[in-house]
Amino acid sequence: MQKLVVGNLKMNLLTIAERDCYLEAFQRDFEKLSKNSVEIVLCPPFVHLEKFAEKLKMKNVFVGAQNIFWEDRGSYTGEVSSLMVKNVGSKYVILGHSERRKYFAENGEVVNAKLKAALQDNLIPIVCVGESQIERNDGETAKVIVQQIDQRLKDVPISKISEIVFAYEPIWAVGSDVIPTGDNILEVKITIRKMLVEKYGSSLAEKVKILYGGSVNSKNINQVCLDPQMDGVLVGRESLIPNEFLKIVEILNNHIA
Ligand code: PGA
């Protein structure tokens, strides 16, 4: 399976000058890669999607949104739909990120509605799941992950299941510089795969990509993603520095070689 490296730029790049500077640096550093066999997705704020899609035309490089609303159009002041982000060149969308669950009270039902909208409009959803520190301490990780995935997949057509990407992002590891052990990550990945096999059978379940996210950088990428079973990473802060982000890409490229 081709590995996927997603950069979540969050609410950054405040000016047009900053955006252009980022894009120039990314293009320059991308050209220095000896090759690129992973799929790269950059997810800037909505206002920069169109420009990112216009400028990032390199092979295996795509653009994604950080969120969408579940309706396609209408009287929903301040919202942005999946069709809108698709029509300005996005291929992916991050859904149910822990920061959205925390600050915007996005629960399983909301993420489920957004997931169905994204799939209907042929955007590839990157669905985030992950436990809190308390849940991990209480030994509840597997239970929480299974519950979250169950809620998010409610009434999702089976024909669309293999298009979904899951990102395991323990809440306590996002923005914290603390990461789980490689074994912890693998355990969760196996839990997710197993539940998908039980629900949909192995040939569908095996097509679903499962990423790790939370404080990933070029120094810990070996620990979080070099197991052949890991399908890639979701990177937050480090994706703001193209050179650092592309170091992660380079390491995964070399690993595949
Ligand atoms: P981080 O963020 O890499 O800065 O911890 C990860 C994420 O928000 O997806």
Side-chain angles (χ1 to χ4, degrees), residues 129-131 141-149 168 188 192 195:
V129 293
E131 81 287 2
T141 303
K143 188 176 131 207
V144 168
I145 301 294
V146 167
Q147 227 168 41
Q148 289 178 346
I149 293 184
Y168 168 51
V188 173
I192 298 175
M195 93 170 268

Side-chain angles (χ1 to χ4, degrees), residues 17 19 24 28-29 78 127 131 144 147 180 209 239:
R19 176 200 71 192
E24 273 162 37
R28 197 178 50 237
D29 293 334
V127 178
E131 81 287 2
V144 168
Q147 227 168 41
K209 284 191 173 145
S239 66

